[in-house]
Amino acid sequence: MQALLSAQNLTKAYRSGLHDLVVLKEVSLEVRPGETCAIVGPSGSGKTTLLRVIADLEQPTSGTIRVNGISPEAARMGRQYGYVFQAPALFPWRTVERNVTLPLEVMGVPAQTPWSVLKDHLRYGGAIIFVHIAPPAEGGAVGTTRA
């Protein structure tokens, strides 16, 4: 059975002045269908960088990576995965429902489909009560506060 995600000797370094800052060093992993994978570690240990490389938002310095047996770029172009950023990114002029269904709109899914597909997920996550309200004008997630 083909791995959903496969990385071999993945390294990512950033140029910092005269030196390279190595964020990922020879990371290897494989995730197969049906498996659950958690990426854990302290702040600054490279978790987000690894996810960004998997999502084709950054290129590795060295090593190989495959998503569904193809390059991360090909998987991204083929819309074979979704990526949720750490910081909430809701458009204040759209309701929560319309923000959540935006990726489906971009993909050309018929307008009547998104709500029927997503309402159960929103209910499961406890966000169903926020569906018809607008997100905070200053950005951020519904139901969160800023210091």
Side-chain angles (χ1 to χ4, degrees), residues 17-79:
L18 299 175
H19 306 292
D20 285 342
L21 174 62
V22 178
V23 180
L24 300 174
K25 185 175 182 181
E26 299 178 6
V27 173
S28 294
L29 68 101
E30 191 168 274
V31 180
R32 296 196 169 277
E35 293 181 339
T36 300
C37 176
I39 301 169
V40 296
S43 179
S45 64
K47 301 179 300 290
T48 299
T49 301
L50 176 59
L51 292 173
R52 290 178 61 82
V53 169
I54 293 168
D56 192 44
L57 298 175
E58 296 196 36
Q59 298 304 307
T61 305
S62 63
T64 59
I65 185 162
R66 290 282 182 252
V67 178
N68 293 327
I70 57 178
S71 72
E73 179 184 21
R76 177 178 53 81
M77 297 302 289
R79 296 183 174 156

Side-chain angles (χ1 to χ4, degrees), residues 66-129:
R66 290 282 182 252
V67 178
N68 293 327
I70 57 178
S71 72
E73 179 184 21
R76 177 178 53 81
M77 297 302 289
R79 296 183 174 156
Q80 293 190 17
Y81 63 84
Y83 184 87
V84 178
F85 293 93
Q86 282 181 305
L90 299 175
F91 294 117
W93 60 88
R94 295 176 69 104
T95 62
V96 171
E97 175 186 351
R98 298 224 33 244
N99 268 285
V100 170
T101 58
L102 180 61
L104 296 175
E105 289 175 36
V106 170
M107 291 173 62
V109 175
Q112 66 274 17
T113 303
W115 178 241
S116 64
V117 170
L118 293 172
K119 69 180 177 182
D120 290 335
H121 295 289
L122 290 170
R123 185 175 287 114
Y124 177 78
I128 195 78
I129 61 172

